[in-house]
Amino acid sequence: MHTTPPPDQRAYNEQVWHLVRQVPYGKVVTYGQIVQMLPPPVGMELEEYKTFGPRWVGEAMAACPADVPWQRVINAQGKISIRPGAQQQRQLLEEEGIVFVKDKVDLKLYQWRPGHEDEPRQAKLF
DNA sequence: CGCTTGACCGGAA
DNA sequence: ATTCCGGCCAAGC
């Protein structure tokens, strides 16, 4: 928290929460991915946005409403960021069928990509 | 007033 | 594979 805030933090947080609410059960997204999926504030350079964005997303998640599936947001390494509550986050994800190996998940397998919602994991049997 | 601390990330060592 | 570091700055102590 407490890094340079977006011009309109309230509006930015709403965008983040709106996006996270769309992440399907059993899938995850990373902080940086959310940044890429949201437009930079008007007038801000893309490079600058990529520097501040991830921390803004973290800020938004720290204050997210109860109806947001916050547990589906993890870091770019496929791990759960250290903080009180991390244990519960892992438990919630495991309950959704996500498997952890050495405290991290396989993003290739679980990262949500809009447009690939229900792609079968093993499309072909032959 | 100065020092520490962040729900981060990517690149370097 | 893992650890370290810079970016960058408001709030809390």
Side-chain angles (χ1 to χ4, degrees):
Chain A
M1 59 173 142
H2 309 155
T3 94
T4 305
D8 186 340
Q9 185 164 49
R10 180 167 297 176
Y12 193 79
N13 286 354
E14 290 293 347
Q15 291 184 78
V16 172
W17 299 330
H18 177 69
L19 188 58
V20 176
R21 276 190 276 255
Q22 297 175 60
V23 181
Y25 180 98
K27 289 291 183 179
V28 299
V29 289
T30 69
Y31 297 89
Q33 179 186 355
I34 290 173
V35 170
Q36 294 186 343
M37 295 170 78
L38 293 178
V42 178
M44 174 169 274
E45 296 297 331
L46 183 58
E47 280 307 306
E48 190 176 10
Y49 178 52
K50 288 196 293 188
T51 295
F52 291 104
R55 305 184 88 129
W56 292 347
V57 173
E59 285 271 322
M61 295 314 295
C64 77
D67 67 319
V68 175
W70 57 274
Q71 73 273 21
R72 295 175 193 151
V73 182
I74 62 179
N75 65 35
Q77 289 77 54
K79 297 180 179 178
I80 292 173
S81 297
I82 298 175
R83 69 177 180 290
Q87 186 60 48
Q88 181 191 19
Q89 181 172 7
R90 171 168 175 162
Q91 185 182 330
L92 289 171
L93 291 177
E94 291 181 321
E95 288 174 359
E96 295 189 7
I98 294 178
V99 177
F100 282 73
V101 178
K102 292 288 189 179
D103 288 329
K104 68 181 168 185
V105 306
D106 185 347
L107 289 177
K108 297 275 190 187
L109 202 57
Y110 303 114
Q111 184 169 35
W112 175 53
R113 291 181 189 66
H116 280 250
E117 314 322 281
D118 301 304
E119 286 302 319
R121 291 175 187 168
Q122 307 184 117
K124 304 179 185 304
L125 297 176
F126 293 87

